[in-house]
Amino acid sequence: ILKKITIIFLYIFGNNLLAQIMVFENFKDKELKGWEFISDQVMGGISSGKYKLLEENDIKFLRMTGDVSLENNGGFVQVRKKFTEKIESNFKVIRLNARGNNSDYFVHLRTSFTLLPWQYYQAKFSVSDEWKFYNLDLKNFQRSGLLLPKEINPKLIKSLALVAFGREHVVKLDVANISLLD
């Protein structure tokens, strides 16, 4: 019986035990190296915001705040970081630890195929005011246009962005960790 229980345990949990985790960002540095803030002001919009590194209860995190406005054909703010090293893994999930103001936010990915500024792949997550882990499966990311491949090749990802867009709202998003899981 013990052998059967062990086999069942390994079958159910084995993939998770063997999964590899690559940390994309844990915010342990004293500065936010590689992160940049972008808003719709680059195209005439009036959305505004900022980001900063904070620490609370031994948790270091990035906080993005701002106001998204749809005026002047605008509607977004984001913080983005380029992948500085070539990804060798075929990871399947982006995991982030986040909280915020009970609102919807997005992760946008850009790849070798997203040549135009308005091209991306996106996945939505909804935060509460409590820290929670969100697992965003690459197969659930939606492409922004039909010209992009349907599936994302993780080895071709060039950047990751935390985004507030599409509706007028006040932005407050905290992200403490971003990992890539096989």
Side-chain angles (χ1 to χ4, degrees):
I1 290 180
L2 183 58
K3 186 176 180 181
K4 287 182 181 180
I5 292 172
T6 303
I7 291 170
I8 291 170
F9 178 82
L10 288 174
Y11 178 76
I12 294 172
F13 299 105
N15 289 338
N16 290 335
L17 293 174
L18 299 175
Q20 300 234 350
I21 298 174
M22 183 176 108
V23 175
F24 175 70
E25 179 66 79
N26 59 15
F27 304 105
K28 299 295 183 202
D29 290 335
K30 293 187 188 268
E31 51 189 74
L32 293 165
K33 290 182 184 173
W35 288 93
E36 64 179 326
F37 181 83
I38 304 166
S39 76
D40 57 23
Q41 292 181 17
V42 298
M43 52 184 242
I46 63 168
S47 298
S48 62
K50 61 184 177 179
Y51 70 104
K52 60 185 169 182
L53 181 65
L54 296 172
E55 184 172 353
E56 180 181 292
N57 299 325
D58 294 326
I59 299 173
K60 291 185 179 183
F61 58 95
L62 176 148
R63 173 171 286 165
M64 179 173 64
T65 56
D67 291 295
V68 175
S69 171
L70 299 178
E71 290 186 44
N72 295 345
N73 295 316
F76 76 89
V77 296
Q78 67 174 282
V79 287
R80 180 171 64 190
K81 183 175 183 176
K82 293 180 180 172
F83 280 63
T84 55
E85 297 177 20
K86 182 169 173 50
I87 301 295
E88 298 298 330
S89 166
N90 278 321
F91 70 90
K92 295 173 180 62
V93 173
I94 295 173
R95 173 182 284 172
L96 52 122
N97 188 12
R99 70 176 181 186
N101 58 347
N102 300 307
S103 193
D104 294 336
Y105 293 96
F106 299 85
V107 169
H108 282 190
L109 300 175
R110 292 186 52 83
T111 71
S112 300
F113 293 104
T114 55
L115 303 175
L116 302 172
W118 52 84
Q119 292 179 315
Y120 53 84
Y121 292 89
Q122 80 172 7
K124 181 169 77 169
F125 62 102
S126 301
V127 296
S128 69
D129 59 356
E130 299 290 327
W131 287 109
K132 179 181 170 186
F133 283 96
Y134 299 87
N135 290 329
L136 307 174
D137 194 313
L138 287 185
K139 67 182 177 189
N140 295 330
F141 275 71
Q142 302 295 312
R143 59 191 173 153
S144 63
L146 297 175
L147 297 178
L148 297 176
K150 288 182 184 179
E151 293 183 20
I152 300 171
N153 179 343
K155 293 179 180 180
L156 299 179
I157 295 174
K158 300 293 184 193
S159 69
L160 180 149
L162 305 168
V163 183
F165 91 105
R167 61 184 178 80
E168 293 196 5
H169 67 287
V170 174
V171 175
K172 183 181 177 191
L173 175 64
D174 297 339
V175 176
N177 191 306
I178 303 170
S179 299
L180 312 174
L181 301 144
D182 282 346

